[in-house]
Amino acid sequence: MTDTAQQQRLKAGIRKWKDRRNAVILGHNYQVPAIQEISDFTGDSLGLSRRAAETDADVIVFCGVHFMAETAAVLSPDKAVLLPEPEAGCPMADMITAPQLRELKARHPDATVVCYVNSSVEVKAESDLCCTSANAAAIVASVPSDTPVIFVPDKYLGAWAAEQTGRELILWEGYCPTHACITPDDIERARLEHPDALIMVHPECLTQVCRMADVVASTSGMCRTARETDVREIVVGTEKGLIYRMEMENPDKRFYHLSPAALCPNMKLNTLEKVLWSLQEMRHEVTVPPDIAERAETALRAMINSGG
Ligand code: 13P
Ligand code: SF4
């Protein structure tokens, strides 16, 4: 798609201000195409966290949702981390609070707590280990087999990690409203409509959906499989934004969205206008109190140092 004159102006402005601020733009795989195009790096939560930890830029503009910017602020405490749209949150991350996790821990005092990165920094500070969708099973498997594991907040990612590792996990009742829209019926329909296609889904999907798919992977894991497979038709069971990146990287392959309902309104709140404004005004800076950051960092370092 060619840019309108207005989009060209906005992109030129963003480039100018990015240089002026010595900034890097990190964009999640679900961002709208224009944001993916101006991002210095597009990736999943694990890839973006690693980039945030190692960048030598002075400013990180995080085009994603709040917990991602918070994670970057913990991993890069000497940088200014900007979230262009302060209302871009993650409903799943809001499904557990630190007091709720403390209460769960009190009921299972011997358990190791693994939290999904889609959580608040206060919840991370109460956790022993953090994981993303790319390394949830590896992180769970790293806990000694005789130690109980609490997994929060995503019950579906937790169930998937439990199946992969053969471990029984103490799960929290959280879930992603976007991925919960994808149903087993969608998979059955896709098999009929695209019998030769590879069906890939995100592990935030319902357990039955994960079991019926050919591949279960993080967003960047799905992109990697799309590049490497010889199959030419791929059904994508996650937020729609990922398909744009897949089409750009694989112009010879065809991609179909598994469910038209799988849209994340929060991920779509970032726009070129807001990115330009955030660089000009240095808004909205996401900061984390040092005592909380210090406690969350141990769990986050385990996450970025684990494979996936
Ligand atoms: P990924 O880490 O796989 O990109 O997932 C992040 C997310 O929010 C999925 O809904
Ligand atoms: Fe959160 Fe789901 Fe949106 Fe990912 S897709 S940011 S888990 S609401």
Side-chain angles (χ1 to χ4, degrees):
M1 231 190 328
T2 43
D3 284 345
T4 61
Q6 170 68 351
Q7 280 176 318
Q8 285 172 13
R9 266 194 299 276
L10 287 165
K11 285 180 175 176
I14 289 168
R15 279 192 290 274
K16 186 179 88 181
W17 277 92
K18 201 165 67 110
D19 287 349
R20 192 175 285 184
R21 299 284 189 207
N22 187 27
V24 64
I25 302 179
L26 302 181
H28 187 263
N29 287 325
Y30 294 159
Q31 292 294 293
V32 295
I35 298 279
Q36 294 196 33
E37 282 157 16
I38 49 97
S39 294
D40 296 295
F41 177 76
T42 309
D44 63 2
S45 304
L46 186 60
L48 293 167
S49 301
R50 286 179 175 151
R51 287 292 170 130
E54 67 200 21
T55 183
D56 54 13
D58 295 319
V59 176
I60 299 172
V61 181
F62 217 114
C63 297
V65 291
H66 190 265
F67 75 82
M68 297 179 174
E70 231 174 29
T71 298
V74 172
L75 293 172
S76 266
D78 53 337
K79 322 279 177 197
V81 180
L82 307 178
L83 189 64
E85 169 49 67
E87 295 296 315
C90 168
M92 170 168 28
D94 296 337
M95 288 181 190
I96 186 165
T97 62
Q100 285 173 317
L101 179 52
R102 278 196 291 274
E103 206 251 315
L104 184 62
K105 279 169 38 168
R107 283 193 272 130
H108 304 278
D110 300 332
T112 290
V113 179
V114 177
C115 74
Y116 187 25
V117 71
N118 295 39
S119 54
S120 69
V121 73
E122 289 81 7
V123 163
K124 291 180 177 84
E126 292 291 336
S127 302
D128 300 297
L129 300 166
C130 190
C131 71
T132 75
S133 61
N135 60 13
I139 292 280
V140 167
S142 74
V143 181
S145 56
D146 55 352
T147 304
V149 176
I150 291 173
F151 190 98
V152 298
D154 186 358
K155 63 178 171 180
Y156 295 121
L157 179 64
W160 180 247
E163 275 197 11
Q164 297 302 296
T165 56
R167 298 284 291 262
E168 210 173 295
L169 306 183
I170 301 155
L171 298 176
W172 186 256
E173 271 296 313
Y175 65 94
C176 163
T178 298
H179 287 85
C181 292
I182 302 173
T183 65
D185 284 353
D186 291 323
I187 303 245
E188 277 171 15
R189 193 175 331 103
R191 293 253 182 243
L192 287 174
E193 287 174 5
H194 311 290
D196 299 327
L198 190 71
I199 301 186
M200 301 200 277
V201 303
H202 194 275
E204 287 175 14
C205 289
L206 310 186
T207 302
Q208 192 56 22
V209 168
C210 291
R211 287 186 185 144
M212 291 166 75
D214 300 313
V215 175
V216 180
S218 78
T219 57
S220 288
M222 285 191 243
C223 288
R224 194 164 46 245
T225 305
R227 287 193 299 273
E228 291 171 358
T229 181
D230 293 331
V231 179
R232 306 220 92 50
E233 287 187 293
I234 298 171
V235 176
V236 183
T238 189
E239 212 279 341
K240 188 167 181 243
L242 189 64
I243 293 182
Y244 170 74
R245 177 170 166 192
M246 288 176 162
E247 286 175 340
M248 290 298 114
E249 292 179 347
N250 307 277
D252 55 332
K253 295 180 182 168
R254 294 204 64 180
F255 296 92
Y256 307 98
H257 198 201
L258 181 53
S259 163
L263 298 170
C264 176
N266 287 285
M267 283 283 185
K268 302 302 192 227
L269 289 175
N270 293 310
T271 61
L272 291 179
E273 286 85 349
K274 290 177 193 173
V275 172
L276 177 57
W277 180 81
S278 78
L279 279 164
Q280 288 169 332
E281 301 295 325
M282 291 294 285
R283 297 281 294 277
H284 294 269
E285 187 167 355
V286 175
T287 55
V288 178
D291 56 321
I292 303 272
E294 199 182 312
R295 287 164 57 216
E297 190 179 349
T298 313
L300 279 168
R301 292 276 166 204
M303 175 190 91
I304 59 170
N305 293 332
S306 168

